Amino acid sequence: MAGPVRTLFFGSGSVALPALSGLFESELVELDSVVTAPPRPAGRKGLLRPTPVAELAAARELPVRTPRTLRDEAVLAELRATGAQLIVLADYGRIIPAAVLDLPTHGALNIHPSLLPRHRGAAPVVGAILAGDRATGVTIMRMDEGLDTGPIVAQAEVRLDGTEVAPELEARLAALGAELL
């Protein structure tokens, strides 16, 4: 049997935390590091604050990478040097260039909080609520150069009753996405 798959995790927001936590516990992957957005000013004083993903990774002593761009050749070389076989992405918030998607031998998986192809893009949970959808869910897809256009690997559906609000539905879908992964 082959060993665990060397994995890079791309994520920034709190919606990514259940998936990252699940990967920490999985014997199927060996997490190399996380790639997340650089710290941003927050609060009245504008103090730099790391992303929730960076905070969790640091607490678990996993290296954190915060490139300003993924198109820089030095960043690509650094990611290539990890020997990653898989990328897992959740709530990263940036477009991943083809040069990064092509790095891992097993490709890149995105945990997307909608039943693709419905509600592609950056605000699928709000889109489902505003559209009055009776169901939404989570899609795990293999990433390609398009925006949420790659082949679907798995989906799980959640029924909606029309009383949902975005934060609670996001949390519910984040947990489901981690389980599905």
Side-chain angles (χ1 to χ4, degrees), residues 24-167:
F24 275 121
E25 305 308 320
S26 175
E27 295 177 4
L28 300 174
V29 299
E30 172 193 346
L31 282 169
D32 173 84
S33 56
V34 301
V35 179
T36 190
R40 293 197 175 134
R44 298 175 108 189
K45 295 182 179 181
L47 299 175
L48 291 180
R49 176 161 181 146
T51 66
V53 166
E55 290 176 335
L56 176 58
R60 299 291 295 262
E61 299 181 354
L62 184 68
V64 176
R65 302 170 190 277
T66 57
R68 297 226 176 267
T69 178
L70 295 173
R71 298 185 188 283
D72 181 272
E73 189 51 48
V75 171
L76 289 171
E78 186 180 314
L79 295 176
R80 192 177 299 114
T82 68
Q85 300 166 294
L86 178 67
I87 289 174
V88 174
L89 182 142
D91 194 17
Y92 182 59
R94 296 180 176 189
I95 302 293
I96 308 296
V100 174
L101 295 176
D102 292 341
L103 291 176
T105 54
H106 298 305
L109 297 176
N110 179 15
I111 305 168
H112 188 77
S114 80
L115 295 174
L116 289 174
R118 186 149 173 84
H119 301 300
R120 284 189 167 104
V125 173
V126 172
I129 291 171
L130 291 176
D133 290 354
R134 303 318 282 151
T136 190
V138 175
T139 300
I140 296 181
M141 54 164 285
R142 187 176 173 110
M143 296 177 70
D144 62 16
E145 290 184 65
L147 182 60
D148 301 329
T149 58
I152 293 172
V153 175
Q155 287 187 311
E157 184 176 297
V158 170
R159 302 298 304 162
L160 302 177
D161 64 16
T163 64
E164 291 79 14
V165 293

